[in-house]
Amino acid sequence: MATSSVGFKSREEHRKKQELEEARKAGLAPAEIDEEGKEINPHIPQYMSSAPWYLNTEKPSLKHQRKWKSDPNYTKSWYDRGARTFKADKYRKGACENCGAMTHSTKLCIERPRKVGAKWTNKHISPDEKIESFELDYDGKRDRWNGYDMNQYARVIERYEARDEARRKFLKEKQLKKLEEKSKKQRVDEESSDDDDEDDALKLDEAKVDESKQMDFAKVEKRVRTTGGGSTGTVRNLRIREDTAKYLLNLDVNSAYYDPKTRSMREDPLPNANPNEKFYAGDNQYRMTGQALDFKKLNVHAWESFEKGQAEINMQAAPSQAELLFKNYKAAKEKLKKQMKETIMEKYGNAASKEEIPRELLLGQSEREVEYDRCGRVIKGMESSVPKSKYEEDVYINNHTSVWGSWWKDHQWGYKCCQQTIKNSYCTGVAGIEAVKEADDLMKTNIERKANCCEMSGPVTEKRLATWGSETQEDLVLDEKKLAEALKKEDERKREEKDERKRKYNVQWNDQVTPEEMEAYRMKRMHQDDPMKNFLH
């Protein structure tokens, strides 16, 4: 029985070991051991300093309390800022022409532009920058503080502490200097008593005490983030205990009312006191100063605009819109005032202001002598050079005399020389501008003509007119011989009208007019609208 029991125990232990191994592989059992020899439960988050009281460490806990899906390729490392790798001795093909580094181009070089680049000097070649690439997970790409060095903020704290220390030291020296001057004056004065001298000396000694011993008088100890309230921390109380409470300034029952719930006293508790000696004059004094006054003006503007119906402004529904409209209103008002002032100054002048000396007289003179020839070339001396950037400037293409973007019209950029809005187009000059204007005018006239035609009321009934302009029969046919004779008679009549001496004394008129005669008259008469009428003989 003993052997069987031992065998049973060994089999039981073997079975437990197998289950533990399977649980460890599945991530449901502890697999690590800490420094004290205890097993670490993976179900307890390792960022916790101690397990919560409600977590039972003997059994598996909830899976979401630990990071059970971890990426083995994820890294918390960040770019090595300012790190350099290889430094070459000579210039390499394809490197930066300014500094000689291979990791960036000439336009992206952040070093100071050299007078002669490293490409031509082969000296002072800058080392290559260290270029790294990391594969961040979903949270790492969206982490605002990824790669932030906490030690950088220590410099900010040190700078502010040094400023406060310097300010404290300056005020201390100023206070000591005032007390010493006062004590010297009182020593010179023979009428001062011995008691006053003792008081001043005592004040001077108190001022000389180290201020660091008196800095903790306003600290309040509180317990934060522990089971009983947390670790002990220091919280500064900004209230100065030496200040008198506002409700104790005037104990009269009929004085200014103090609201204990909001701790406010709107009226002045001491209205008859000297204003230069008063420390507190009621809460209403803050309502007419600072940002409170600006907010009041904003409300008044919103009310007045809503009453006048100029805009739908609501301070509660859209405060940003109301503030923007008020800002635009103030800008427009200031602009109108400035324009009015300028018009008055141009018309009447400004006698209060002195005439300024022209800038050419102030800054135009120099000791350097430069001599030019008739063509404008420098003969003697050195002309001051204009600094240029590393980008191309004043490069004109396609016969243009201005760069792209020097002209703006109808929300389109263009060239100022020819007013074209097509980039890389050939310059047409002044002729192109005039042609565009003529095309625009022609298009406008065509549009107006079409509009006028559409406005004509009703269809026009066409009448079949005769050849000479009166109504005739539709089947009227003219005789060619009679028409030729009528044309000859009409020519003779015209000649007689020009020279009245050829007209006979006895003239016989025939009131009967044939269609051929009427057609001859129409063909020979002068048309006032005819553009060639001046050339007819």
Side-chain angles (χ1 to χ4, degrees):
M1 294 294 292
T3 57
S4 64
S5 63
V6 172
F8 176 75
K9 287 181 180 179
S10 63
R11 288 196 302 271
E12 190 68 24
E13 291 176 359
H14 182 66
R15 185 180 61 81
K16 285 184 178 180
K17 285 183 180 180
Q18 287 182 348
E19 291 178 356
L20 185 59
E21 288 295 334
E22 292 176 358
R24 284 178 177 174
K25 289 179 181 179
L28 302 175
E32 299 179 2
I33 298 175
D34 59 3
E35 296 177 356
E36 299 178 358
K38 297 180 181 180
E39 291 182 343
I40 300 174
N41 193 344
H43 305 287
I44 300 174
Q46 297 305 315
Y47 52 82
M48 290 185 180
S49 59
S50 60
W53 59 269
Y54 55 82
L55 182 59
N56 187 3
T57 58
E58 297 178 358
K59 297 180 181 180
S61 61
L62 295 176
K63 190 179 290 185
H64 69 268
Q65 289 184 349
R66 64 187 180 87
K67 190 175 181 182
W68 59 280
K69 281 187 178 180
S70 60
D71 187 5
N73 298 325
Y74 175 68
T75 177
K76 291 187 178 179
S77 58
W78 196 245
Y79 300 100
D80 193 1
R81 291 173 179 153
R84 303 284 178 147
T85 55
F86 175 71
K87 183 176 181 181
D89 297 332
K90 296 182 179 180
Y91 178 78
R92 294 159 292 176
K93 186 177 180 181
C96 176
E97 297 178 357
N98 185 42
C99 66
M102 285 289 294
T103 51
H104 61 267
S105 60
T106 307
K107 279 193 175 182
L108 300 179
C109 185
I110 61 174
E111 288 192 10
R112 178 183 61 84
R114 302 181 185 180
K115 188 174 182 180
V116 181
K119 180 180 179 181
W120 297 274
T121 59
N122 270 333
K123 294 180 181 180
H124 307 290
I125 305 295
S126 299
D128 299 341
E129 293 91 353
K130 185 179 179 181
I131 299 177
E132 298 174 287
S133 61
F134 301 105
E135 294 182 1
L136 301 177
D137 58 350
Y138 182 85
D139 295 331
K141 291 178 182 178
R142 290 156 180 81
D143 189 3
R144 293 174 59 232
W145 299 97
N146 195 359
Y148 177 73
D149 187 7
M150 293 183 293
N151 298 326
Q152 292 179 356
Y153 195 71
R155 301 175 187 173
V156 181
I157 296 174
E158 289 176 2
R159 186 171 68 251
Y160 277 90
E161 287 179 353
R163 187 194 65 179
D164 294 341
E165 185 66 27
R167 183 182 295 171
R168 198 179 300 114
K169 187 177 180 181
F170 173 74
L171 294 175
K172 193 73 174 178
E173 292 176 355
K174 191 176 180 180
Q175 185 182 6
L176 288 171
K177 190 175 181 180
K178 284 185 179 180
L179 290 173
E180 287 176 0
E181 290 177 356
K182 188 176 181 181
S183 62
K184 286 180 182 179
K185 288 181 182 180
Q186 289 181 355
R187 286 173 186 172
V188 174
D189 191 3
E190 297 177 356
E191 296 178 2
S192 61
S193 60
D194 297 337
D195 297 336
D196 296 338
D197 292 338
E198 292 177 359
D199 294 340
D200 293 338
L202 184 61
K203 290 179 180 178
L204 186 61
D205 293 338
E206 288 178 357
K208 291 180 179 179
V209 176
D210 187 12
E211 196 175 12
S212 61
K213 299 179 181 179
Q214 301 178 4
M215 287 298 294
D216 298 333
F217 74 96
K219 286 186 177 180
V220 179
E221 303 292 337
K222 290 187 178 181
R223 295 179 63 80
V224 187
R225 292 182 181 173
T226 58
T227 54
S231 60
T232 304
T234 303
V235 181
R236 288 191 180 274
N237 191 356
L238 300 178
R239 177 186 171 189
I240 302 175
R241 300 295 178 180
E242 297 175 359
D243 293 344
T244 306
K246 60 179 74 173
Y247 52 84
L248 296 178
L249 294 174
N250 192 350
L251 300 178
D252 189 4
V253 180
N254 297 324
S255 64
Y257 174 72
Y258 174 75
D259 187 7
K261 185 175 181 180
T262 58
R263 298 181 183 179
S264 61
M265 182 183 287
R266 298 189 177 183
E267 298 179 4
D268 189 1
L270 299 171
N272 299 324
N274 187 6
N276 296 327
E277 297 178 357
K278 280 194 295 186
F279 177 74
Y280 178 74
D283 294 340
N284 285 336
Q285 68 173 347
Y286 304 113
R287 294 175 179 267
M288 303 302 294
T289 56
Q291 294 182 350
L293 187 60
D294 297 338
F295 185 71
K296 183 178 179 181
K297 291 180 180 178
L298 178 60
N299 279 321
V300 172
H301 174 261
W303 297 336
E304 291 179 353
S305 301
F306 183 77
E307 289 176 357
K308 293 179 181 179
Q310 296 179 358
E312 295 291 336
I313 303 177
N314 194 330
M315 276 293 297
Q316 286 71 28
S320 301
Q321 180 189 8
E323 187 174 359
L324 181 61
L325 291 173
F326 183 53
K327 185 178 179 181
N328 296 337
Y329 165 75
K330 290 195 293 185
K333 188 176 180 181
E334 291 295 330
K335 188 176 180 180
L336 288 174
K337 283 185 178 180
K338 189 176 179 181
Q339 290 179 355
M340 186 181 294
K341 184 177 179 181
E342 289 178 355
T343 52
I344 293 173
M345 297 277 284
E346 290 177 359
K347 187 174 182 180
Y348 301 102
N350 187 8
S353 66
K354 298 180 180 179
E355 295 183 358
E356 296 182 357
I357 301 175
R359 190 178 182 88
E360 293 78 10
L361 298 178
L362 289 174
L363 305 176
Q365 299 178 359
S366 64
E367 298 296 332
R368 186 172 52 188
E369 183 180 356
V370 182
E371 187 176 350
Y372 299 89
D373 62 357
R374 292 184 178 181
C375 298
R377 293 186 294 266
V378 178
I379 300 175
K380 183 180 178 182
M382 195 67 187
E383 191 175 6
S384 58
S385 61
V386 180
K388 293 185 177 181
S389 65
K390 55 188 173 183
Y391 299 98
E392 296 179 347
E393 294 182 358
D394 300 333
V395 177
Y396 306 117
I397 60 174
N398 296 337
N399 202 27
H400 287 285
T401 57
S402 59
V403 296
W404 169 260
S406 58
W407 190 66
W408 169 266
K409 184 179 181 182
D410 297 336
H411 304 281
Q412 286 183 335
W413 293 105
Y415 297 97
K416 187 178 179 180
C417 54
C418 57
Q419 297 183 2
Q420 288 195 67
T421 57
I422 302 173
K423 196 172 183 180
N424 297 328
S425 60
Y426 194 81
C427 183
T428 56
V430 181
I433 298 174
E434 294 177 355
V436 171
K437 288 182 179 180
E438 291 177 0
D440 293 340
D441 295 340
L442 182 61
M443 185 175 65
K444 290 179 182 178
T445 53
N446 291 337
I447 292 172
E448 291 178 357
R449 186 184 302 168
K450 186 175 181 181
N452 295 332
C453 292
C454 295
E455 290 177 359
M456 294 178 64
S457 60
V460 180
T461 56
E462 296 183 358
K463 294 182 178 180
R464 183 176 178 82
L465 301 178
T467 313
W468 53 86
S470 60
E471 296 183 1
T472 55
Q473 299 177 1
E474 292 181 358
D475 55 348
L476 179 64
V477 179
L478 297 176
D479 191 2
E480 295 294 331
K481 293 181 179 181
K482 292 182 179 180
L483 181 60
E485 295 176 358
L487 288 173
K488 291 181 181 179
K489 290 180 180 179
E490 185 66 19
D491 292 335
E492 293 176 359
R493 188 182 68 80
K494 291 267 185 177
R495 284 196 294 271
E496 290 178 359
E497 286 182 356
K498 288 181 181 179
D499 190 3
E500 294 184 355
R501 293 176 297 176
K502 294 182 179 181
R503 194 175 67 174
K504 297 179 180 180
Y505 183 77
N506 295 323
V507 180
Q508 294 181 358
W509 295 97
N510 188 7
D511 296 333
Q512 298 295 330
V513 180
T514 61
E516 288 79 7
E517 293 177 352
M518 193 67 190
E519 180 65 14
Y521 171 77
R522 184 194 68 80
M523 293 172 66
K524 293 293 183 178
R525 73 169 178 165
M526 182 84 63
H527 293 279
Q528 297 297 329
D529 297 334
D530 189 0
M532 303 293 291
K533 66 178 182 179
N534 295 328
F535 297 92
L536 298 175
H537 296 287

